[in-house]
Amino acid sequence: MRFLLIFFLSISLVYGQKPNVILIYVDDLGYGDLGSYGSKTIKTPHMDRLAKQGLRFTQAYSTSATCTPSRYSLLTGSYAVRRKDTGIATGDASALILPGQQTIASIFSKAGYQSSAIGKWHLGLGPQGGPNWNGKITQGPLDIGFTEAFILPATGDRVPCVYVENDQVLGLQANDPIQVSYTKKIGDMPTGKENPELLRMKHSHGHDQSIVNGVGRIGFMQGGNAALWKDEDIAQRLTDRAKSFMRRNQKSPFFLYFATHDIHVPRLPHVKFLGKSGYGNRGDALLQLDDSVGQLMKTLDSLHLTQNTLVILTSDNGPVVDDGYHDQSKELLGNHQPAAHLKGGKYSSFEAGTRVPFIISWPAKVKKGQSDALVSQIDLVSSMAALVGQSVDASQAKDSENQLATWTGQSKKSRAYIIEQAGSLAIRQGDWKYISPSKGQAVNALVGIELGNNPADQLYDLSKDPSEKNNLAMENPNKAQELKSLLRALMEK
Ligand code: NG6
Ligand code: CA
């Protein structure tokens, strides 16, 4: 105990006054989307400024190629794949993280931080059977350590299309209650399937259920008219909330989990950005995202908090161009390469599914530069706990390691391995990447992405073959077997 105390005190001494921490968790941002990661097309000056003043990681991973499992792992430090129920959650799913469970927010809270969850949640809310949209929404961010919250319950394309402020739907009127169903049509709201003439943006696949704000969604809803969001306003509303949170807490250390809706579908950026990138709505949403980041940085500057604020910018999974709406992103993609040289994309076990931009800026402590160390978002919990001198219940954050030295550039040491969850589970160790056999489809033709599923073992040498073209599993069966056994052992841990 005494040893632990001295250990944590010494960490606090090394790192000095408690820094603020902002985690900018972008939705579906690809490895090749930012200027600082080599893009020469869509301009991202504010995110590039973060990279310029901070440490840019070239080998960083989300834990999964889709949202819900990535977020679950990030917040808890335990791989979502250990559970059976952490696929892409519906908009009426019950809470995946239960009250009292240790999360990154509860750790910051123990360290005396104020914390806010702003933006996309997509981790379920409420007890079994789902949340009570018309009353107090229990089992949400406030129950797992956040001191305040302003969230979209699931995704922009899933009903209910309302904001939840702390534990209530914002702007709901008692005489117009919300009902939600993911199984059958309810109420008289038009649907994309029955009334396509009412759509202002057509769906390319899925998204043909309730029409909200002229856009077909996943799921059916009824009521809550005064509470419905306007897609074009989401980015600025979230940004305003974040700015107000920072201003209100400028004197106490804070942790801001800023989970943007951008650049997920439906991409309906504000008219200020519409048509401005020349690369369709995805490009325009990227401009909007960059603007939001710029506003947060400007707020830090004006509050004189830039020096001692640790900002992490990363993404929950890799990129997708057509994720279900005709929004000109495919037609106008031109020479923009959202995944850079990587194979696959969102949903894929290939590298583009989980290799994402990862930037850490903390001018007071982190030297600017580039790190090629292997890092994973799974280590957020333990690394941030170390930063603020808190212990971690390792039985809950089973997979999270303290990688603070690498994250802050004091060490170049890589994580021993990276686990990548998609249709098939993959593992990377050093430059070797192994993908488990899977009977799933090889290509998702609707989104145009190679998923990495193959009934046989796959083994790639990323040092020589970064785009995963040559499967070496037959040539090097021992290596394939070694990684397969390691993956199995880690999953049985
Ligand atoms: C898919 C949706 C896609 C997106 C994704 C989740 C269809 C046809 N596709 O099922 O649009 O919502 O789920 O994305 O409905 S994520 O980033 O939240 O994981
Ligand atoms: Ca996502």
Side-chain angles (χ1 to χ4, degrees), residues 26-29 65-67 71 120 264 315-318 346:
V26 184
D27 205 349
D28 298 359
L29 183 71
T66 53
C67 167
R71 282 160 211 256
K120 175 173 175 177
H264 196 277
S315 174
D316 65 339
N317 53 251
K346 179 174 179 176

Side-chain angles (χ1 to χ4, degrees), residues 315-335:
S315 174
D316 65 339
N317 53 251
V320 56
V321 177
D322 177 354
D323 208 10
Y325 293 98
H326 289 294
D327 64 6
Q328 292 285 298
S329 301
K330 203 160 127 184
E331 293 76 0
L332 298 178
L333 187 63
N335 55 348

Side-chain angles (χ1 to χ4, degrees), residues 220-485:
F220 301 96
M221 77 175 285
Q222 170 71 8
N225 270 295
L228 296 176
W229 69 51
K230 206 164 159 260
D231 302 79
E232 289 80 348
D233 296 343
I234 292 176
Q236 194 55 49
R237 294 210 60 176
L238 302 182
T239 307
D240 285 341
R241 285 285 165 152
K243 283 155 66 176
S244 133
F245 171 74
M246 289 193 267
R247 278 196 205 104
R248 280 186 280 116
N249 294 290
Q250 57 182 290
K251 297 245 158 17
S252 60
F254 62 74
F255 167 56
L256 168 60
Y257 173 65
F258 186 68
T260 69
H261 155 69
D262 287 323
I263 54 175
H264 196 277
V265 296
R267 304 180 189 112
L268 291 155
H270 190 269
V271 65
K272 247 165 78 183
F273 304 101
L274 203 61
K276 295 288 155 53
S277 70
Y279 287 85
N281 288 35
R282 186 174 185 277
D284 300 343
L286 193 52
L287 296 184
Q288 178 168 269
L289 165 71
D290 194 60
D291 179 77
S292 297
V293 173
Q295 291 188 50
L296 300 196
M297 292 170 73
K298 203 167 155 200
T299 306
L300 285 179
D301 290 343
S302 72
L303 298 173
H304 308 291
L305 295 177
T306 303
Q307 281 296 316
N308 202 30
T309 299
L310 188 160
V311 181
I312 305 174
L313 184 137
T314 189
S315 174
D316 65 339
N317 53 251
V320 56
V321 177
D322 177 354
D323 208 10
Y325 293 98
H326 289 294
D327 64 6
Q328 292 285 298
S329 301
K330 203 160 127 184
E331 293 76 0
L332 298 178
L333 187 63
N335 55 348
H336 181 66
Q337 288 183 290
H341 61 287
L342 303 176
K343 188 169 179 178
K346 179 174 179 176
Y347 311 111
S348 178
S349 301
F350 289 127
E351 286 293 283
T354 49
R355 179 110 63 94
V356 286
F358 190 85
I359 298 167
I360 295 195
S361 157
W362 183 15
K365 301 283 172 191
V366 173
K367 283 207 200 98
K368 53 189 175 189
Q370 175 181 316
S371 173
D372 301 323
L374 283 186
V375 294
S376 166
Q377 292 171 8
I378 194 71
D379 296 327
L380 182 81
V381 163
S382 293
S383 306
M384 292 300 105
L387 175 78
V388 297
Q390 290 297 310
S391 59
V392 171
D393 173 355
S395 69
Q396 293 190 55
K398 221 171 168 168
D399 303 296
S400 192
E401 296 172 2
N402 173 6
Q403 294 283 344
L404 189 60
T406 301
W407 285 30
T408 53
Q410 291 175 346
S411 161
K412 292 193 169 3
K413 199 162 175 268
S414 280
R415 210 178 195 283
Y417 59 85
I418 298 285
I419 289 180
E420 304 172 47
Q421 178 192 351
S424 358
L425 200 58
I427 185 165
R428 174 175 176 182
Q429 188 186 44
D431 285 322
W432 289 106
K433 159 100 175 262
Y434 167 81
I435 307 178
S436 318
S438 159
K439 295 201 177 84
Q441 55 175 352
V443 178
N444 180 337
L446 294 172
V447 294
I449 288 176
E450 291 187 74
L451 297 177
N453 297 323
N454 188 322
D457 287 326
Q458 291 175 81
L459 179 72
Y460 299 96
D461 178 354
L462 297 176
S463 67
K464 299 195 185 84
D465 179 24
S467 307
E468 296 165 286
K469 289 184 181 134
N470 305 311
N471 182 2
L472 302 176
M474 300 277 265
E475 220 169 276
N476 199 340
N478 292 344
K479 194 52 154 181
Q481 190 53 48
E482 187 191 317
L483 290 181
K484 186 179 196 152
S485 307

